[in-house]
Amino acid sequence: WFIFIVAVLFARALTEGIWAIADDGPPSAEQEEFAEGVYDLMLKELVAALFQEFNETTQANVEHGKLAISLIFNNKNRDMRLVGASDPLLGGNNNLPKDDFEETALELALQGQGHRGVERVNGQWYLRKSFALNNSFHSACVLCHTNFPPMQGDQWVGALMQRVPINTDDNDD
């Protein structure tokens, strides 16, 4: 009876999706295209948040601005973060690359280039992209980043990293 009960429970778990058998194939072009659309919207929203920060941060409230933007780009959020070659806003090494993708992305960002990849992490596919940033992105950058040298055109300093999950479950169309 024990083996019969275990077999029935196992079969039920498989059919109800409790234990899904993962498809090892990469995402389709359509699935990647959908993730690209999500990335584009997310990038626009993040840039809008940065410009809102720039418009509201002054010399009088710069410490508030530093904390506010560091909360938005909290390094515990794996789906968006800032990575740079200069010291971070609040000390420590939080803005340093955390994996191979971010290391390559930072190298390319320091040359003014973005980076793109599709990878699987713990069974979930992700679109990962970086957007190169320079110290002349906005004149207010130097209020918080006092370690930036004087603005000299396009001095690349880091990248905005984004990660978008790619739905590869054909049943959720």
Side-chain angles (χ1 to χ4, degrees), residues 95-117:
N95 71 332
L96 297 175
K98 294 191 184 261
D99 59 24
D100 291 340
F101 178 89
E102 289 187 356
E103 286 179 19
T104 300
L106 180 57
E107 286 177 24
L108 291 170
L110 295 178
Q111 300 169 37
Q113 300 173 37
H115 184 47
R116 180 191 189 282

Side-chain angles (χ1 to χ4, degrees), residues 8 17 40 43 46 109 125 142:
V8 168
D40 290 341
L43 178 62
L46 293 173
W125 286 97
V142 296

Side-chain angles (χ1 to χ4, degrees), residues 23-33 35 118-120 124-127 165-168:
D23 174 18
D24 289 332
S28 68
E30 293 81 17
Q31 292 164 330
E32 283 191 42
E33 186 178 329
V118 173
E119 60 186 30
R120 193 172 189 167
Q124 171 65 56
W125 286 97
Y126 291 94
L127 168 68
I166 301 175
N167 181 5
T168 57

Side-chain angles (χ1 to χ4, degrees), residues 39-57:
Y39 165 84
D40 290 341
L41 283 173
M42 187 176 171
L43 178 62
K44 290 173 186 173
E45 291 169 6
L46 293 173
V47 170
L50 284 171
F51 275 100
Q52 185 68 29
E53 165 75 20
F54 299 149
N55 291 334
E56 293 182 10
T57 301

Side-chain angles (χ1 to χ4, degrees), residues 76-91:
K76 292 179 183 174
N77 184 344
R78 296 179 182 172
D79 297 326
M80 65 177 196
R81 62 190 232 84
L82 296 171
V83 174
S86 301
D87 290 335
L89 291 176
L90 298 176

